[in-house]
Amino acid sequence: MAIDSDVLVVGGGLAAITAAIAASREGADVRLVSHKSSTLRQASGLIDALGYVPATEPATPLREGPPTAGRELDRDEWPDPEGPLADPFEAVDRLPETHPYRIVGADALREGLDLFDELAGDAYRGGHTDRNALLPTFGGSVKPTARYPAAAEAGLASDDRPALIVGFRSLTEYDARAFAGRLEAAGVPFDAAGAEVEFAEAFRADAKVTRLAKALDHDEDIDGVPAREALAKAVAPHLHDVVDEAGGVDRVERVGFPAFLGDDAGDEVRAELADRLGADVFEIPMGPPSLPGLRLEDRLFDALDAEGVRFETGNPVVGVETEADGRVETVAVDRKGRETPYGADAFVLATGGLVGKGLDSDRDGVREPVFDLHVGQPDDRYEWFVDDAFGDQPYARFGVRPDERGRPLDGDGEAQYANVFAAGGVVGGADVAREKSASGVSLATGLVAGRQAATEATQ
Amino acid sequence: MTRDTADDGDAGDATGGERDGGSETRASPGVPEAGRDEQPSIFVPDEGEVPEGAAGGDRGASDRAATDGGVESASGGSDSTELDPDAYDPVDVFPGGDLDLREGADSCYKCTSCDTSCPVAEVDDEFPGPKFQGPEQWRLKRKDDHDIDESITSCSNCMRCDDACPSSVPLSQMHNEARGQFVEEQMEKLSVEYVRNRILANYRTSARLASIVPRTASLAMNFGPVRWAMEKTLGIPKERDFPEFATETFREWWEARGGAQVENPDKRVAYFHGCYSNYNTPEVGKAMVSVYEHFGYEVMVPPQKCSGTPMFANGMLKDARRHAETNVESLIEAIGEGADVIASCTSCSMSLRQEYPELFDIHGIEDVSEHTYEALEYLRINEDLEGELADTELADERAFAYHAPCHARNQGLSRQAVETFRDVDGVTMEDVGDSCSGISGTYGWKEEKYEKSMEIGEEMFEHMEDAEGDVGMTECPTCAMQMEHGTGYEIKHPLQLLDETVGA
C-alpha cells in the first residue's frame, strides 16, 4: 500500500516549499519529502531575483581546440556582465530564450515574490518596490537583491550614513577591516571603518556561530556581564573610528555585525544592542553556517505546517514506477534500506542543481537521478566548460529543460511525463551564480510547478 | 581500514597489497550510501582480539604510506613515472570498493551544516563539533601515533549531523567508530567515568536486577542520601529522578496473558520492545499489542537484549556487539517466519536499521535492518490509518505538546504523530519545534553534562509551556524523561493515544 497524496514534492529548499504551498492553495493535498535538512540553512537569507545579465558570447572568439582551464595557454576572454540591474523585471527579455524566466514569464517571478512576501511577513523587506536593493555581503562586495531580512535593513549600501563594521578575531573567515576597505573600494556612498573587538574571545577560539547566537538569545553571563551588554561594551570604544575624506571624525549612526545576533530572539538582541550603542544595528549575511538561512528555514517550515502540507525529511527518493500511459504512479522512498512507495497524481521535482545534488555527475555525464529526466549536455566533456573561470560556463546552465507548464522535456522536446513538474536548481538554463537569480528562479518555477501539479492532480 | 577478520582476508589487499586492474566498484563522486552492503562494517571486536592500532592504513602501511599519511595509491600515485594519463582517471588512484570511510570523509566539503545542527556545540564551546569529530578526526587518525581527541565523549550521538549533511557524510558512523576506539584504547578502565558510563550504557542490566524488586528499587534509587552518594561517587546528577520500575514487566504481562491473541500467518510483526517499555513503561508495549491486534496482526515477542543505543553513545561497542548478536539471531528467526520487526522506541529502530549494519558484520544484520520499522510508521505504510481515524472521535477533548526525538527525525518520522492525529476529532497536537530535548539517552545522566543538557532542552521546555496541551507526547523514553523533568508534564507515547482512538 502506498502513502498517497494529490501532489508529492521532492526536495526541501525554497523551490520545494514554494511549490508545495502554491499547490496547496490550489486545493491539492500535498506532501513534501526531503532527503536532508533544508539547504536553506546554507543560504545567505537574501532573496535575489536578477542582479546581472551576463554575456553569453566571448569578447574574442573561443580558441580552437579543447578548453585548457588552469594551464598556461591563452584564455578566452569574456565581457563584463550588464549590471548591477536596477530593475530585474525589465531585463528578463535580454536573457537567453532557454532561461527559466523566459519560459515561465516575468509574471511568475512577480507572483513568486508576492507569495514569498506573504510567507516571510515582517521578517523581510524590499517588497515595496520592483527595484533591486544593494546589500553588502561578507566578502565586502555589494549584491543586488530583491528581498532582504529586516535584520540587514540598516546596512543598505544606498544609505549614506557612515558605518562601523564589527569583526572578531575568532571568526577567521570574516575580516572587518578588509571588509570595510573593500566596501569603500566598491564605491559605496558612505564612509566605513572596520574594527576587531574582543567579545568572542570569551568563547573557545573555534566556537560555532550558533554558540554565539545562543549566548545572545539567552543573554548568558560572559565573565559576569550579560552577553548583550558585554558585546555593546566591546563595540562602544570604536563608535568614532570612521574618518571621512576631510579627515573629520563622526560618531557612526549604524553598526554592522556578522549575522549571529541571536536565533529565536534576533529582533530583541538587535534592538537592545541598538539601544545600548545609540546607533542602528544590522547584520551582514554570511556564508554557511548561516543564521539568516536558519531563521528563514524555520519560518517557511512553519508556513508549510500552517498550510496543512505534510512533510518529512531524512529519506531519499530513489526510484519511480510508471503507468502504461507514461505517467508516474509512485516514487520509491528509501527508508533506511527498505523502499516504500509514495503515490501521487502529480509530482514536483525540486532537488537542487549540481551543488544541491539534484543533479549527479561524473566524468561520463550529468544525470538527474530521481526520475532520470533528460539533461542536455555536450557529449565531449571538454565542452562542458570554457577557460575563463568567470566566463559563460556551459555546466552552470545544465539541468532539465521545462515547458511553459514546468514539465521537463525529453531529448525530442516532448514532456517526458505528463504529471512530473520541475522547479528550482534542477531546472537548467540559468547561470544563477553570475546572474544573482537563484532565489528568484526557485520562486518563479516553484510557483508554476506547484500550481500546474495541483491542476494536473485535481482535474 | 580497521577490519581485521580472518574470514575476510582480501580486505587487506585494499590497503597493503597491489590491486590490479580498475576496481569494479569504482568510487562514484555522487552521494555515498553509508553502511550499505558494499561498505563492510567498521568494528569487529572478536573477543580476545587485540584492539587495532590507529584506524589508518595499518598492516604494513607504515612503510608504504602515501605522503599524506593515508593509503598508498593503487597505481603509484602522482610520483609514479609510469603513470599514463590516457589510461587512468584521477579517481582511480584510491583503491575503491571496500575502502572504509575515505569516501565519506572525502565527500565533506566543509559547509559546516553539521556544526550548525549540533545541539551540543550550541551550548558547549569546548566541543569542537561534528565536522571535527567526523571527517577531520578520521583523517588525523590515519597517522598511527595520533590519539582520538577526548572531546568525542561530549558527542551525545543525537545524529542530527547525519540529517543535516547535504553530502551524506556518514558522520555518526565516524563518531561511533572514534568513540569506540577512544574508550577501548585511551580511557582508563578503572576511572569513575568509565565505570559510570558502563553502568549507564548497560541500563538493561540494572533494570533487570531492579525489576526483581521493583518497588524497593524505585524507592531506593530516588532516596535522597543514595542520590547524593551516587553523584559523589559515580557522577550521576542528583537532580534527576530515576524512572520507576514497573511492578510487572511487559514480558511478564505477555506471558501471563498467554502470548498472542491473534494468529495470522499473513500479517506478523516481531515486537522489539527494548529495555524501557519492558521494565519501565509496559503500558506502551501493551498499547502496541492492542493496536496491532486490532488491525489483525499476529504479534511475536522474540527474546531480545538492549538495542545498543546507550552503548554506542558511550563507546561500549563490545557490549553493543554482544547484545546485537542475540538480537540479530532471534529477529532473523522471526523474519524467517514472515514477520517484520517493529519497535516502539525510535532509538531502538534507529539502531537496528542504521547503526547495526554500519558498525557490525553479523550474519543477517542487513536483513534485520531492512525489515525493521517504527510501530506507527509501519501502520501508516501498511494500513489505511487515515481512513480508520477519519470517523473517530475522542469523547473528552485533549491537547498534546509533541516533541519529535532526534532519532525519529533521522528516520523521516518527525511529523508522523502530528499528521496521524491531525484529523481526529477531540485531539489537538502541537509540534513543539525542532530543537533537541537535550538528554540524548545517557548524555543528560552525567553530572558534568547535566547543565548543558538542561540548557539544550530549554527551548523545548519553553515551547511545551507555550503549547495549548499540558500532556507531553514523544516516542523516545529518554526524551520523555527530560520533558517530564523540565515541565512536570505527564508524557504519553503516540501508541497509547492511538490505542485509545481506535478503541474508541
Side-chain angles (χ1 to χ4, degrees):
Chain A
M1 181 173 206
I3 292 175
D4 287 317
S5 47
D6 293 341
V7 172
L8 183 80
V9 178
V10 186
L14 185 59
I17 294 168
T18 306
I21 289 179
S24 178
R25 292 197 173 175
E26 297 293 310
D29 166 44
V30 184
R31 181 185 298 277
L32 178 144
V33 179
S34 170
H35 181 190
K36 296 291 183 176
S37 297
S38 176
T39 45
L40 279 168
R41 61 181 52 200
Q42 298 184 65
S44 67
L46 297 180
I47 300 295
D48 51 19
L50 185 63
Y52 296 88
V53 177
T56 54
E57 291 295 330
T60 53
L62 285 181
R63 200 173 46 76
E64 288 290 318
T68 54
R71 306 213 179 122
E72 296 306 313
L73 293 173
D74 292 342
R75 303 272 177 88
D76 46 54
E77 282 179 16
W78 292 75
D80 288 338
E82 174 198 341
L85 300 169
D87 182 342
F89 297 99
E90 63 81 29
V92 164
D93 286 343
R94 298 198 294 283
L95 293 167
E97 265 178 34
T98 52
H99 194 285
Y101 285 159
R102 295 289 299 275
I103 295 168
V104 298
D107 284 347
L109 173 60
R110 195 179 298 275
E111 285 183 72
L113 285 166
D114 288 347
L115 177 61
F116 177 84
D117 289 338
E118 186 200 320
L119 302 178
D122 60 4
Y124 271 75
R125 302 278 190 273
H128 59 289
T129 172
D130 270 359
R131 298 171 69 82
N132 276 328
L134 291 172
L135 259 96
T137 68
F138 84 107
S141 62
V142 170
K143 175 177 171 165
T145 188
R147 305 287 185 270
Y148 45 93
E153 187 175 22
L156 283 178
S158 49
D159 191 332
D160 59 9
R161 293 176 298 163
L164 173 71
I165 310 297
V166 175
F168 304 90
R169 205 164 301 135
S170 57
L171 287 178
T172 48
E173 73 272 37
Y174 177 98
D175 181 331
R177 291 197 196 97
F179 176 99
R182 263 178 254 142
L183 268 188
E184 291 201 319
V188 293
F190 56 86
D191 297 311
E196 220 162 56
V197 309
E198 287 194 11
F199 165 71
E201 275 68 19
F203 300 87
R204 183 189 165 110
D206 58 354
K208 309 299 164 216
V209 288
T210 45
R211 172 78 193 98
L212 304 177
K214 186 108 179 174
L216 288 166
D217 259 359
H218 294 198
D219 211 5
E220 289 174 19
D221 267 8
I222 310 289
D223 301 331
V225 184
R228 299 171 193 174
E229 188 186 333
L231 180 54
K233 275 187 173 159
V235 172
H238 299 280
L239 290 170
H240 291 88
D241 278 7
V242 177
V243 179
D244 65 21
E245 279 171 18
V249 175
D250 285 318
R251 194 175 190 287
V252 294
E253 291 167 55
R254 52 185 179 147
V255 181
F257 292 84
F260 68 66
L261 301 181
D263 183 3
D264 285 351
D267 291 344
E268 210 183 294
V269 172
R270 230 168 48 247
E272 184 171 338
L273 285 173
D275 198 36
R276 287 183 179 278
L277 292 172
D280 284 348
V281 166
F282 61 95
E283 286 188 333
I284 295 152
M286 296 179 66
S290 163
L291 264 305
L294 282 163
R295 296 180 198 130
L296 181 59
E297 178 190 345
D298 282 349
R299 186 165 277 263
L300 293 181
F301 274 85
D302 284 351
L304 276 183
D305 196 11
E307 207 71 39
V309 172
R310 285 167 294 181
F311 54 88
E312 62 179 69
T313 63
N315 299 313
V317 175
V318 293
V320 177
E321 287 282 331
T322 54
E323 290 171 33
D325 62 356
R327 295 170 70 86
V328 173
E329 192 177 18
T330 61
V331 295
V333 175
D334 180 355
R335 299 174 84 123
K336 303 274 173 247
R338 174 61 74 94
E339 290 182 11
T340 303
Y342 280 53
D345 297 316
F347 297 83
V348 176
L349 179 73
T351 44
L354 284 163
V355 177
K357 299 212 161 65
L359 296 175
D360 192 8
S361 67
D362 60 21
R363 293 160 71 83
D364 297 323
V366 180
R367 289 171 303 277
E368 187 285 298
V370 175
F371 293 93
D372 198 20
L373 298 169
H374 173 71
V375 178
Q377 57 198 280
D379 289 336
D380 182 351
R381 68 168 184 250
Y382 284 96
E383 289 174 30
W384 295 355
F385 60 94
V386 295
D387 279 348
D388 186 344
F390 301 103
D392 189 64
Q393 298 290 350
Y395 69 79
R397 297 181 192 272
F398 284 177
V400 305
R401 292 294 157 96
D403 65 11
E404 72 286 351
R405 292 184 63 199
R407 293 180 303 181
L409 303 173
D410 62 18
D412 300 324
E414 300 292 323
Q416 201 161 334
Y417 298 106
N419 62 338
V420 172
F421 302 81
V426 75
V427 174
D431 186 348
V432 294
R434 286 204 303 156
E435 292 164 2
K436 309 296 173 211
S437 62
S439 303
V441 167
S442 288
L443 291 170
T445 55
L447 183 93
V448 170
R451 281 184 183 169
Q452 292 294 334
T455 308
E456 188 69 29
T458 54
Q459 74 187 351
Chain B
M1 298 289 293
T2 58
R3 311 201 66 207
D4 198 2
T5 48
D7 61 346
D8 205 356
D10 51 34
D13 291 347
T15 46
E18 299 289 336
R19 256 182 112 84
D20 50 0
S23 168
E24 283 298 305
T25 48
R26 176 161 71 82
S28 101
V31 180
E33 276 187 88
R36 304 300 307 151
D37 312 48
E38 73 277 13
Q39 190 167 302
S41 63
I42 292 305
F43 191 80
V44 194
D46 290 332
E47 279 306 319
E49 185 194 343
V50 179
E52 291 170 66
D58 39 28
R59 263 164 302 137
S62 52
D63 53 334
R64 306 186 57 94
T67 48
D68 64 350
V71 177
E72 191 196 39
S73 85
S75 51
S78 55
D79 293 339
S80 169
T81 50
E82 293 163 28
L83 213 55
D84 173 4
D86 293 329
Y88 86 107
D89 256 353
V91 292
D92 289 337
V93 301
F94 298 120
D98 51 1
L99 183 62
D100 50 0
L101 293 167
R102 178 186 286 277
E103 189 178 337
D106 287 354
S107 296
C108 171
Y109 54 80
K110 309 246 177 266
C111 69
T112 62
S113 283
C114 53
D115 288 346
T116 319
S117 75
C118 175
V120 176
E122 201 170 271
V123 296
D124 181 356
D125 44 278
E126 294 298 314
F127 184 64
K131 178 160 64 79
F132 170 77
Q133 302 295 355
E136 290 172 3
Q137 175 134 275
W138 185 84
R139 282 199 192 88
L140 289 172
K141 282 194 310 179
R142 315 297 294 174
K143 300 270 192 194
D144 283 343
D145 59 350
H146 211 285
D147 280 352
I148 306 283
D149 193 78
E150 193 185 352
S151 61
I152 188 67
T153 58
S154 289
C155 161
S156 73
N157 203 33
C158 71
M159 301 165 96
R160 276 178 178 255
C161 42
D162 278 356
D163 200 30
C165 177
S167 209
S168 293
V169 175
L171 287 144
S172 68
Q173 186 180 7
M174 291 170 157
H175 301 161
N176 272 326
E177 194 213 3
R179 189 166 37 228
Q181 196 182 329
F182 176 82
V183 170
E184 192 64 37
E185 293 164 18
Q186 290 166 241
M187 204 168 182
E188 181 53 60
K189 300 297 180 295
L190 296 172
S191 67
V192 169
E193 196 185 0
Y194 180 84
V195 172
R196 190 265 323 267
N197 288 1
R198 190 102 197 258
I199 292 172
L200 286 173
N202 284 277
Y203 177 70
R204 182 175 182 275
T205 309
S206 327
R208 204 181 60 220
L209 293 173
S211 281
I212 299 169
V213 282
R215 289 196 184 84
T216 319
S218 300
L219 207 65
M221 298 282 264
N222 288 310
F223 181 53
V226 174
R227 296 310 305 277
W228 179 86
M230 282 171 93
E231 174 160 318
K232 291 297 166 221
T233 59
L234 279 175
I236 291 176
K238 62 180 182 303
E239 289 85 352
R240 290 217 181 264
D241 296 324
F242 267 102
E244 294 222 349
F245 293 99
T247 48
E248 183 185 43
T249 67
F250 172 76
R251 293 189 80 94
E252 287 166 358
W253 171 81
W254 178 253
E255 208 167 306
R257 124 197 243 264
Q261 308 281 306
V262 174
E263 286 191 16
N264 186 348
D266 299 326
K267 285 170 78 172
R268 277 187 177 147
V269 289
Y271 179 37
F272 191 87
H273 47 65
C275 308
Y276 204 76
S277 61
N278 187 37
Y279 296 115
N280 300 94
T281 53
E283 60 273 16
V284 171
K286 291 178 196 168
M288 176 272 150
V289 171
S290 161
V291 168
Y292 270 72
E293 290 191 341
H294 170 88
F295 284 103
Y297 285 88
E298 178 175 337
V299 178
M300 303 159 75
V301 183
Q304 54 193 271
K305 290 188 172 174
C306 169
S307 70
T309 301
M311 296 160 179
F312 300 139
N314 289 286
M316 309 285 172
L317 295 189
K318 283 188 178 175
D319 290 342
R321 186 185 165 91
R322 212 170 47 243
H323 288 240
E325 280 166 2
T326 306
N327 291 336
V328 170
E329 190 182 338
S330 82
L331 293 175
I332 274 293
E333 196 180 319
I335 292 167
E337 288 167 36
D340 283 317
V341 181
I342 54 159
S344 49
C345 161
T346 41
S347 294
C348 291
S349 63
M350 186 74 199
S351 172
L352 300 183
R353 287 171 133 177
Q354 182 174 320
E355 287 161 319
Y356 270 26
E358 276 181 358
L359 296 169
F360 304 130
D361 189 9
I362 299 173
H363 178 70
I365 205 162
E366 290 285 345
D367 280 338
V368 171
S369 166
E370 282 175 22
H371 283 87
T372 301
Y373 299 83
E374 192 277 334
L376 183 54
E377 171 192 25
Y378 191 75
L379 289 176
R380 272 161 58 93
I381 294 171
N382 293 292
E383 300 296 328
D384 182 15
L385 209 51
E386 263 175 54
E388 179 86 20
L389 294 179
D391 306 323
T392 55
E393 194 178 331
L394 271 193
D396 49 333
E397 296 218 351
R398 271 183 298 164
F400 297 89
Y402 172 77
H403 163 76
C406 299
H407 289 174
R409 202 167 289 284
N410 280 26
Q411 296 168 77
L413 306 177
S414 61
R415 297 282 301 173
Q416 65 169 2
V418 172
E419 287 174 5
T420 300
F421 295 105
R422 181 175 268 167
D423 299 325
V424 176
D425 282 340
V427 177
T428 311
M429 193 158 335
E430 207 169 318
D431 187 343
V432 296
D434 64 358
S435 57
C436 171
S437 77
I439 191 163
S440 269
T442 58
Y443 177 85
W445 277 97
K446 299 173 183 172
E447 191 219 338
E448 73 278 13
K449 304 286 193 296
Y450 175 75
E451 276 180 29
K452 299 269 181 282
S453 158
M454 294 304 283
E455 217 178 307
I456 295 170
E458 196 170 305
E459 190 177 329
M460 179 188 75
F461 303 145
E462 281 168 16
H463 289 187
M464 281 178 74
E465 271 150 21
D466 288 346
E468 190 187 321
D470 52 10
V471 176
M473 178 160 284
T474 191
E475 286 93 343
C476 168
T478 58
C479 288
M481 286 180 206
Q482 178 86 333
M483 292 163 79
E484 191 187 348
H485 185 59
T487 60
Y489 287 11
E490 176 196 12
I491 315 295
K492 294 269 193 184
H493 189 289
L495 281 171
Q496 292 172 280
L497 179 60
L498 187 61
D499 184 28
E500 282 184 55
T501 316
V502 294

